[in-house]
Amino acid sequence: TDEEFKAEALVFWNKEYKYLNENHPFDIESMAYNYVKNNKDFKYKDHVEAGVLVNCLVDQGFIEFTKRENDIRYHSLTEKGLKFVRKKS
């Protein structure tokens, strides 16, 4: 359900935020895909489920889409995401 994906997106965010670059766009979709593949709670373990996690983080205001290069979608931290990362560091 949407609520389950939102909750799982926050779990993913809390585990992975420390690997994100504050100053440059990053490929969080690949990170989400690896997370989904290695998590027993996901049924399909595919790029679609990973994309839903990323979209949840966008909707919650932590990251935003920046650019697409060679079929890779790059995201950057928003002000909210940056505050979260700095607070945790």
Side-chain angles (χ1 to χ4, degrees):
T1 67
D2 287 346
E3 293 306 315
E4 290 171 323
F5 271 107
K6 286 179 186 177
E8 197 62 44
L10 289 176
V11 172
F12 166 69
W13 176 252
N14 279 299
K15 288 182 179 183
E16 303 295 331
Y17 76 87
K18 57 188 155 278
Y19 302 113
L20 303 177
N21 189 315
E22 293 181 23
N23 301 312
H24 301 285
F26 43 82
D27 177 13
I28 196 168
E29 289 184 355
S30 293
M31 296 168 66
Y33 180 58
N34 286 329
Y35 178 79
V36 166
K37 283 192 321 187
N38 296 310
N39 189 317
K40 66 178 177 52
D41 295 329
F42 288 93
K43 183 176 181 181
Y44 298 106
K45 300 182 183 298
D46 62 7
H47 289 283
V48 174
E49 288 186 317
V52 172
L53 287 184
V54 172
N55 287 339
C56 287
L57 294 175
V58 170
D59 291 345
Q60 293 176 41
F62 291 108
I63 60 174
E64 63 187 358
F65 173 75
T66 305
K67 64 182 177 177
R68 177 186 216 91
E69 286 183 9
N70 301 323
D71 289 330
I72 298 173
R73 292 172 40 90
Y74 290 92
H75 290 79
S76 297
L77 292 170
T78 61
E79 190 62 36
K80 178 180 178 179
L82 191 55
K83 285 180 184 177
F84 179 89
V85 168
R86 288 181 176 163
K87 185 174 157 183
K88 292 282 191 170
S89 297

